[in-house]
Amino acid sequence: MRPHPKPQPFPLDMLAVNRSSPEQLSRQLYHGLVAIIRSRALPPGSELPSTRALAAELGLGRNTIVAAYDQLVTEGYLANRQGARPVIVDLPDGPRETPAEEHPEPLRQPSLRGQLLLSQPYHHGRPGHVAFHPGMPDAGSFPFGVWGRLVARRASHGGETLFGTYDVTGHPALKEAIAGYLYSARGVRCRPEQIVITTGAQAAFDLLARLLLDPDDTVWMEEPGYYGAKAAFTVAGARILPIAVDQERGWRLDQPSFSPRLIYVTPACQHPLGITMRMEERLRLLDIAETANAWVIEDDFDGEYRFQGRPVPAIQSMDRSGRVIYVGTFAKLLFPALRLGFMVLPPELAGRIVNALSTTGQFAPLLLQAALADFITEGHMSRHLKRMRRIYAQRRQLFRDIVTERLRDEITLSPAEAGIQVVGYLRDGIDDIKVSQAAAKRAINVSPLSKYFQNTVPTQGLVLGYAACDAAQMSDGVERLAAAIGEVLG
């Protein structure tokens, strides 16, 4: 048996109590007793003073002492004994603090998959840098008054169904509304049961990468292409092979040579170039996918914003073998912080997706989904979209005029007719990374085009979002961008 420790004087000087402190007296006492125990000022097995004795010594109420002792017993610092005072438990030393002069042991590294995940690009910009953040809609024109009333109404009358973790594939009313909208606006043919609501398009790419890809599977992906999707496929262990895309020749689908497990495209408004996939390319793509028995992810990036003619029907509307997965988001239609997107899955995959969603937790708040369903069905979204198409068309032309006048010798804008951003090709000898860094110092957010290339020689340019800027912001932003380019040129 462990010998009973020799009694030692209780170190009252370590129990400083400050009555003017906002912290409760019992919590102050608790912290002081923990310090006594952890420092071994009293050895394990030592008895603490009785609650009456300690209360008298400190001038505190006995209930304050009891509360502190009870918490120490609960956490395992003290052990109660029947009819006796509590004693200090013999605790392991635990981790020691490393002196500042010593070099700590290096932390364990994440897994290889974790290291890949941590190395992927961050691309969410900063507040106040709306010029010229790619893909940023004009939140100032969103009808937040209407939206606030819809959310409040649903919050007041949501009932049990909106406040639990039910309907993990999405709120039924929203799925019904999306199915109707997609058919009329994009030609997508689906039943509401095939729709899965996600926390944005990126969440859909992450989930689909884990569902559809094994390590070393081949993914065909546009180059230049969307690095967010590429990041999801890379972390899943896929081998990315480029499909070359350019303004003049479009998608060159005779490349690459390895048979794909998955093909990722942005056919309505190629990201970042803004061009639209021609019918012959769409049919060729479906033929390749059929032959390779591959999945196709159709990212409908900016598909709603086309400034000449009607929006082009989705590839999903042409699919007859159930291999096209359509991914959309409300970030550009409404506002990015809403974090609501969706997938349209082939029926076989849709029937089993609930298990994956339950495991990953990638399902969106039902309250927001219900409010969005009302926003669509009551006609607010169609009115908002119609208005924003008109505003963005005007801003697009104004932006082109300002850039052409001020930066005609440094930037050539692409002629793309879709999307809420445009590519500006830089004059030979101008480094787009350096320009973006110089612009950031002037509170201008531009994305270097070279960042969208991974496997081939990059083109130097800037991806410029104009939708969130009014005329004054555009003029000021272009002047700052000109100063950034001037700094790079020296």
Side-chain angles (χ1 to χ4, degrees), residues 156-360:
S156 299
H157 305 94
E160 178 189 2
T161 57
L162 295 186
F163 302 116
T165 53
Y166 313 111
D167 296 317
V168 296
T169 63
H171 190 269
L174 179 57
K175 298 205 294 183
E176 186 84 35
I178 291 174
Y181 167 76
L182 288 178
Y183 181 74
S184 62
R186 311 292 293 116
V188 172
R189 299 173 296 106
C190 68
R191 299 190 303 275
E193 307 88 72
Q194 294 175 247
I195 294 175
V196 174
I197 309 301
T198 64
T199 53
Q202 188 63 34
F205 301 145
D206 175 62
L207 181 58
L208 291 171
R210 287 191 273 174
L211 276 174
L212 306 179
L213 295 172
D214 290 318
D216 296 323
D217 277 348
T218 297
V219 173
W220 286 13
M221 186 171 174
E222 302 161 332
E223 178 120 335
Y226 178 48
Y227 44 78
K230 178 184 179 293
F233 306 145
T234 298
V235 171
R239 175 175 54 174
I240 310 296
L241 294 182
I243 301 172
V245 186
D246 60 47
Q247 296 280 166
E248 291 75 29
R249 291 174 289 179
W251 283 253
R252 281 173 271 168
L253 293 168
D254 54 336
Q255 303 173 357
S257 56
F258 289 92
S259 181
R261 167 74 171 168
L262 186 150
I263 304 172
Y264 168 87
V265 289
T266 54
C269 176
Q270 201 277 334
H271 187 64
L273 300 182
I275 62 176
T276 300
M277 184 179 279
R278 298 184 297 268
M279 182 56 66
E280 61 182 280
E281 295 167 331
R282 293 167 179 246
L283 294 172
R284 172 69 175 144
L285 174 68
L286 288 173
D287 184 57
I288 291 171
E290 185 82 30
T291 301
N293 194 25
W295 297 98
V296 175
I297 295 180
E298 178 181 11
D299 179 4
D300 194 33
F301 184 86
D302 276 3
E304 295 83 5
Y305 295 118
R306 184 170 183 80
F307 302 110
Q308 287 189 356
R310 292 181 53 81
V312 178
I315 290 179
Q316 191 270 359
S317 66
M318 304 164 59
D319 180 28
R320 296 295 179 267
S321 56
R323 64 182 67 256
V324 176
I325 298 170
Y326 181 93
V327 175
T329 177
F330 292 99
K332 314 295 172 51
L333 287 173
L334 308 181
F335 53 94
L338 185 61
R339 303 308 304 154
L340 288 179
F342 57 90
M343 305 182 288
V344 178
L345 300 177
E348 181 183 354
L349 196 56
R352 297 181 291 163
I353 196 68
V354 290
N355 303 81
L357 292 168
S358 179
T359 300
T360 63

